[in-house]
Amino acid sequence: MQFKHTDGRDKDFIELCHELDQTLNEIAGGEKNRAGYLPLNRLDDIHDVILAYDGEIPIGCAGFKRYDDECAQVKRVFVKKEYRGGGISKKIMEALEKSVKSKGYRYCILETGAPLIEALGLYKGIGYYIIPNYGEYQCMPDSICMKKEL
């Protein structure tokens, strides 16, 4: 597995995010049920991305953007279904957090959803803890917000 540092305009990142959206639509029962989240996941806001590759095949991603002077917000974490269960998401998050820290941030924050049990397990397993919903997520009952000190 190789990693590539890029940004939200990368074609492989865009394709992986389309797969992520399809997966989330399946879980949520369609894009209509996720309408409130769509404007919060614009790729042009994400300037730092980690892509994971199996040879030439893009298999996973995670990005972050500035939330405030101390916090980076983790966005669009995804691993293709056929590659799950091998610790790839953990390795992607380790690379992402290293990049976040190198940019001078002290914390990572993120939002995930109550139905995303595997994601919750990943984040808790690598040291994230639940915090009150922040920003746009304050009024979204299915949102779970988390934080980690780096």
Side-chain angles (χ1 to χ4, degrees), residues 47-103:
H47 302 291
D48 293 277
V49 170
I50 303 292
L51 294 174
Y53 288 86
D54 178 7
E56 299 292 316
I57 302 167
I59 61 171
C61 62
F64 70 91
K65 66 180 187 175
R66 180 187 185 279
Y67 184 76
D68 63 28
D69 289 343
E70 291 192 322
C71 289
Q73 184 181 16
V74 177
K75 302 293 290 179
R76 313 305 285 168
V77 179
F78 178 70
V79 173
K80 287 185 174 193
K81 189 174 186 176
E82 60 269 27
Y83 288 90
R84 293 182 193 155
I88 293 170
S89 59
K90 184 176 179 180
K91 291 176 185 171
I92 292 171
M93 288 298 294
E94 288 170 357
L96 184 83
E97 290 171 355
K98 183 177 179 182
S99 182
V100 167
K101 194 171 184 176
S102 76
K103 300 243 175 175

